[in-house]
Amino acid sequence: MPTLILVRHGRSTANTAGLLAGWTAGVALDERGAEQAAALPRRLDGLPITEIVTSPLQRCRETVQPLLDAQPDLTAHTDERIGECHYGDWSGRKLSELKDEPLMEVVQAHPSAAAFPGGESMRAMQTRAAEAVREWNARVERDHGADAVYLMCSHGDIIKSLVADALGLHLDLFQRISVEPCSVTAIRYTRLRPFLVRLGDTGDFASLAPREEPPGDDAPVGGDAGAP
């Protein structure tokens, strides 16, 4: 079965503003995010990418555009099932305000039981994304062969949930996974099991250096902004 390259969108204006973007319209890449996206063709050079699938949200479409410019024979397929979690009433709010919401403790410690007011549950988010991957695996294998490589550009919580699914981890453990903006995660699927062969690879170790304000114990909902 194919190898899936998962790319989280580049750093966005919501990331730097500390907002939980969700499906809020008009959230674009910031200057650094645009630079990250521009570097993707070089980072992925040599990979015979056969298909590109993207979340419909602007920040993901902007992230894959340099790849499409570099490989004009490719087109981007949009799949809403790999779009961001529907955070409902939480969308557009500051993460600093949300940390005091009682639901945040559930999101952190028991995400399989978390459902966002006016939005969806994290369990439903993972289910739709995993179903999308399985359908695309079959389609890519049918059209390009069992050794094909294809790329999906999605969001932090989506990618983390797909990694958990590939590893056979319960969703309640997915907050232990971290994927930075424009990081590359690769999963090779086989008939018997998936293999996680890359996780959150940016080629940049700056985010491992101590920060002036050390990260807290909670996992950033939607994914963090990466290295400062």
Side-chain angles (χ1 to χ4, degrees):
M1 294 179 69
T3 296
L4 169 60
I5 307 298
L6 287 162
V7 176
R8 185 184 167 199
H9 62 78
R11 196 175 75 176
S12 72
T13 53
N15 291 145
T16 47
L19 299 176
L20 184 61
W23 285 70
T24 304
V27 177
L29 299 183
D30 67 6
E31 183 177 353
R32 181 172 179 184
E35 292 172 353
Q36 292 170 330
L40 269 179
R42 175 183 53 80
R43 291 173 58 199
L44 300 176
D45 185 39
L47 281 180
I49 296 172
T50 58
E51 302 279 2
I52 292 179
V53 187
T54 181
S55 156
L57 294 173
Q58 180 179 343
R59 52 197 183 274
C60 287
R61 290 186 284 107
E62 290 178 347
T63 298
V64 300
Q65 191 58 53
L67 286 170
L68 296 171
D69 293 341
Q71 300 187 53
D73 55 320
L74 290 175
T75 57
H77 306 274
T78 299
D79 194 324
E80 291 197 356
R81 294 174 297 177
I82 62 166
E84 181 62 285
C85 184
H86 291 276
Y87 296 117
D89 297 345
W90 280 26
S91 298
R93 292 182 59 186
K94 283 190 171 293
L95 289 165
S96 58
E97 298 173 355
L98 292 170
K99 68 179 183 180
D100 295 325
E101 293 277 356
L103 178 60
M104 182 60 84
E105 185 177 3
V106 182
V107 170
Q108 293 295 325
H110 190 22
S112 65
F116 297 97
E120 70 178 332
S121 69
M122 302 199 90
R123 189 172 61 255
M125 172 200 75
Q126 182 187 43
T127 297
R128 63 173 164 86
E131 287 177 350
V133 166
R134 282 161 174 75
E135 288 183 20
W136 277 101
N137 281 347
R139 175 173 172 175
V140 170
E141 182 172 5
R142 180 197 68 205
D143 294 344
H144 303 284
D147 296 326
V149 177
Y150 74 108
L151 182 146
M152 281 185 168
C153 185
S154 189
H155 307 266
D157 281 349
I158 295 288
I159 294 173
K160 288 162 56 178
S161 75
L162 290 172
V163 170
D165 175 75
L167 292 176
L169 291 177
H170 197 283
L171 184 62
D172 285 346
L173 300 178
F174 99 127
Q175 297 291 26
R176 301 183 184 198
I177 300 166
S178 176
V179 290
E180 292 192 18
C182 229
S183 63
V184 173
T185 294
I187 302 171
R188 180 166 58 86
Y189 288 87
T190 73
R191 185 174 63 86
L192 294 180
R193 65 182 64 84
F195 292 89
L196 178 66
V197 292
R198 291 289 189 280
L199 176 61
D201 188 344
T202 65
D204 181 356
F205 297 103
S207 64
L208 302 180
R211 304 186 187 183
E212 291 184 8
E213 294 185 9
D217 294 333
D218 287 347
V221 181
D224 66 11

